[in-house]
Amino acid sequence: MPKVEFNVDRCKGCELCAVFCPQKIIKLSEGINKLGYHPATVKEMEKCTGCAICARVCPDCVIKVYK
Amino acid sequence: MKVVFERPRALSDVTTHYCPGCTHGIIHRLVAEVIDELGILERTIGVAPVGCAVLAYNYLECDWQQAAHGRAPAVATGIKRALPDRVVFTYQGDGDLASIGTAEIVHAANRGERITVIYVNNAIYGMTGGQMAPTTLEGQVTATSPRGRDIKQAGHPMRMAEMLATLPGVSYLARVAVNKPANIMKAKKAIKQAFMVQIDDLGFGMVEILSTCPTNWGLQPAKAMEWVDEKMIPYYPLGEFKVPGEVK
Ligand SMILES: Cc1ncc(C[n+]2csc(CCOP(=O)(O)OP(=O)(O)O)c2C)c(N)n1
Ligand code: SF4
């Protein structure tokens, strides 16, 4: 099963990954991270295709992708 | 299950000071990926500008020298001539390259210096709080053009790629954008080419990269990505203006 892993405390909550994810499965968390932002997260990981588009648009290299 | 995407080795494992959604971060990563793919990390020297990328030496694992505002191409010239076996690149904003450093970039390109220039055009001075740059678009509101850039008073936005492509010393020159996945892939190819012409001793290589400044444009990061398509690309067309072996 493909999956993405977020380096939560590096995320600045810019939402570019969420906007560009073709599956629309990325959302910002309710809680805040060490930097004070709402970090990106995925609830329905089973819908991830491992396309890595989220990782390629992330300006902060927060996302690691497995396929 | 294998890893299909992770931080390139040449990109430092630290939090950057860039604003949320600023595409300086994407460009840093692309340069790092290219350095990794070419296997040149140990012999690469970057020259950092004055501007938001002034701290780039904290973010890429190669050696660095920070230059006075606009002077990166002159500093890179000195480094490359003293150490010709190194791969030398500058990383400059549009205020740095197209305003205070216009003379340095034009003459380095004209001399055909064997350097690579990563030119980040976000149509504004980011670091100092969003003043008008030579690249600011007609009608664009900035801190110093509150009614929008008036071309009668401030002149036309400067197309550096087209201008520099006329110089015979230039081997490779392209304009790309990093505002969507397909453009990011093309941007990486162009950055690689601009490094390759230096490694192959063919001449000066530069990539102009249309980048966002969500903070000073006053736009959400995703809206800033759209603004590049709607406003910047029509005036700053993407493409290769010069490729090795061709004089246009
Ligand atoms: C000699 C000198 N003049 C002016 C400045 C002020 N200054 C700092 S950054 C900057 C412009 C930065 O804009 P740009 O190159 O577009 O980079 P960005 O911050 O947008 O990435 C200016 C004018 C300075 N530091 N040194
Ligand atoms: S001020 Fe603009 S260019 Fe500078 S880090 Fe912030 S968004 Fe990026």
Side-chain angles (χ1 to χ4, degrees):
Chain A
M1 283 277 271
K3 66 165 185 176
V4 290
E5 223 171 64
F6 295 87
N7 189 348
V8 177
D9 287 318
R10 288 279 167 78
C11 179
K12 296 172 184 164
C14 74
E15 281 189 300
L16 290 178
C17 55
V19 171
F20 284 100
C21 168
Q23 299 296 95
K24 299 283 171 231
I25 52 173
I26 308 180
K27 301 261 156 16
L28 295 191
S29 318
E30 296 278 304
I32 57 168
N33 65 8
K34 271 189 193 153
L35 296 173
Y37 296 112
H38 295 287
T41 185
V42 168
K43 281 217 178 74
E44 303 162 286
M45 198 62 85
E46 63 284 357
K47 289 192 184 161
C48 175
T49 63
C51 70
I53 285 176
C54 56
R56 285 180 211 286
V57 299
C58 174
D60 294 285
C61 222
V62 167
I63 308 170
K64 191 168 175 177
V65 186
Y66 300 84
K67 193 172 181 176
Chain B
M1 202 162 50
K2 62 179 206 297
V3 174
V4 291
F5 187 96
E6 65 184 330
R7 170 181 296 276
R9 194 168 74 95
L11 191 70
S12 311
D13 194 6
V14 295
T15 300
T16 70
H17 71 288
Y18 297 114
C19 304
C22 172
T23 48
H24 263 304
I26 296 179
I27 299 166
H28 280 27
R29 194 194 72 237
L30 295 180
V31 173
E33 287 177 359
V34 166
I35 290 175
D36 280 2
E37 284 172 22
L38 294 174
I40 52 172
L41 179 58
E42 281 70 28
R43 60 184 180 110
T44 297
I45 304 175
V47 183
V50 168
C52 285
V54 67
L55 302 176
Y57 48 76
N58 287 331
Y59 306 142
L60 287 178
E61 294 289 302
C62 55
D63 285 332
W64 282 95
Q65 174 61 52
Q66 202 279 320
H69 206 3
R71 285 17 170 188
V75 173
T77 296
I79 295 173
K80 183 69 183 185
R81 289 188 179 201
L83 301 167
D85 58 329
R86 308 303 156 90
V87 180
V88 181
F89 76 96
T90 72
Y91 186 106
Q92 304 176 257
D94 48 311
D96 193 80
L97 181 142
S99 186
I100 194 167
T102 321
E104 281 74 12
I105 191 64
V106 169
H107 289 283
N110 192 47
R111 293 189 307 267
E113 294 299 338
R114 270 48 175 172
I115 61 171
T116 300
V117 173
I118 305 298
Y119 166 41
V120 181
N121 178 0
N122 59 12
I124 208 157
Y125 290 0
M127 184 200 211
T128 44
Q131 294 81 6
M132 178 169 62
T135 46
T136 295
L137 295 170
E138 184 177 359
Q140 187 182 335
V141 173
T142 69
T144 49
S145 57
R147 281 174 234 95
R149 180 182 186 137
D150 173 5
I151 53 166
K152 283 206 194 81
Q153 199 189 39
H156 294 267
M158 278 231 260
R159 295 190 180 104
M160 293 305 291
E162 285 85 340
M163 252 174 72
L164 296 174
T166 64
L167 302 172
V170 175
S171 173
Y172 182 76
L173 219 164
R175 186 185 287 118
V176 297
V178 286
N179 66 324
K180 49 189 174 194
N183 285 350
I184 293 171
M185 302 298 274
K186 286 187 200 145
K188 180 172 165 186
K189 277 202 187 122
I191 293 170
K192 199 166 188 178
Q193 266 301 314
F195 274 92
M196 296 283 281
V197 294
Q198 177 182 169
I199 292 167
D200 296 341
D201 200 25
L202 296 175
F204 177 93
M206 179 174 121
V207 188
E208 174 173 340
I209 306 172
L210 303 182
S211 187
T212 66
C213 179
T215 300
N216 290 301
W217 293 357
L219 294 174
Q220 295 276 345
K223 287 274 173 245
M225 297 297 233
E226 289 172 16
W227 197 85
V228 172
D229 264 336
E230 287 161 15
K231 299 283 167 82
M232 287 186 89
I233 294 176
Y235 189 85
Y236 294 116
L238 306 184
E240 291 182 317
F241 296 94
K242 191 121 174 232
V243 296
E246 179 189 11
V247 180
K248 257 191 200 167

